Amino acid sequence: MRDIDRKRKKEQRVVEEMIRLYCRKNHSSYDRKSGRMCPDCQELSDYARMRSEKCPFMENKTFCSNCRVHCYRLEMREKIRQVMRFSGPRMLLYHPVMAIWHVVCSMMEKKKQRGENK
């Protein structure tokens, strides 16, 4: 159970950092001193955390992008896609270890899923 909790916290941290990076670069209401996100980005971050907390598939996946069930509401799914498109490539500059870890884990999981489908 502790491994699942650790995975969940790590996923939540990656998503939060991506949203924070997006907010910092795109919204003037981002507070650089405190690191506080604008209300819209904070709402998305809270929503993503809540979805992660309730995820019944955490044991079998690492990231929502690798999940076969997409449980985000349509409007939130579009917002998170926009954040991921923007922040994904930039994570290499701002959080390189986290970005590389995310790519490696995603590749390993996709390879594992392909093996299960054979």
Side-chain angles (χ1 to χ4, degrees):
M1 192 69 150
R2 293 181 71 205
D3 286 342
I4 294 172
D5 291 338
R6 209 172 308 135
K7 274 174 48 173
R8 190 181 313 270
K9 295 297 179 202
K10 217 166 195 178
E11 176 181 318
Q12 290 171 345
R13 183 162 181 258
V14 170
V15 171
E16 183 175 340
E17 288 303 322
M18 292 180 91
I19 296 170
R20 187 176 307 285
L21 175 60
Y22 178 84
C23 188
R24 184 171 66 218
K25 297 293 184 181
N26 290 286
H27 300 143
S28 59
S29 57
Y30 177 81
D31 186 352
R32 291 189 183 276
K33 288 182 182 179
S34 69
R36 196 168 290 134
M37 293 182 269
C38 73
D40 285 344
C41 288
Q42 186 61 56
E43 178 186 15
L44 179 60
S45 182
D46 293 344
Y47 181 80
R49 180 175 298 279
M50 183 265 305
R51 296 310 313 166
S52 176
E53 289 292 333
K54 293 184 176 189
C55 180
F57 304 109
M58 189 57 68
E59 189 173 334
N60 302 319
K61 70 162 187 86
T62 49
F63 301 104
C64 293
S65 58
N66 295 336
C67 192
R68 295 172 190 193
V69 177
H70 294 291
C71 60
Y72 279 41
R73 290 189 322 250
L74 196 56
E75 79 224 32
M76 291 303 214
R77 190 178 315 163
E78 190 50 44
K79 286 180 182 182
I80 201 72
R81 276 190 192 135
Q82 187 177 9
V83 166
M84 298 296 164
R85 267 187 246 121
F86 178 87
S87 296
R90 290 166 179 83
M91 288 292 284
L92 277 170
L93 297 171
Y94 293 93
H95 300 286
V97 173
M98 189 182 287
I100 292 168
W101 172 81
H102 178 75
V103 169
V104 169
C105 287
S106 293
M107 288 172 50
M108 287 174 31
E109 187 168 317
K110 286 178 183 176
K111 186 176 180 180
K112 181 180 159 188
Q113 285 176 354
R114 281 194 299 264
E116 290 173 359
N117 291 334
K118 289 183 178 180

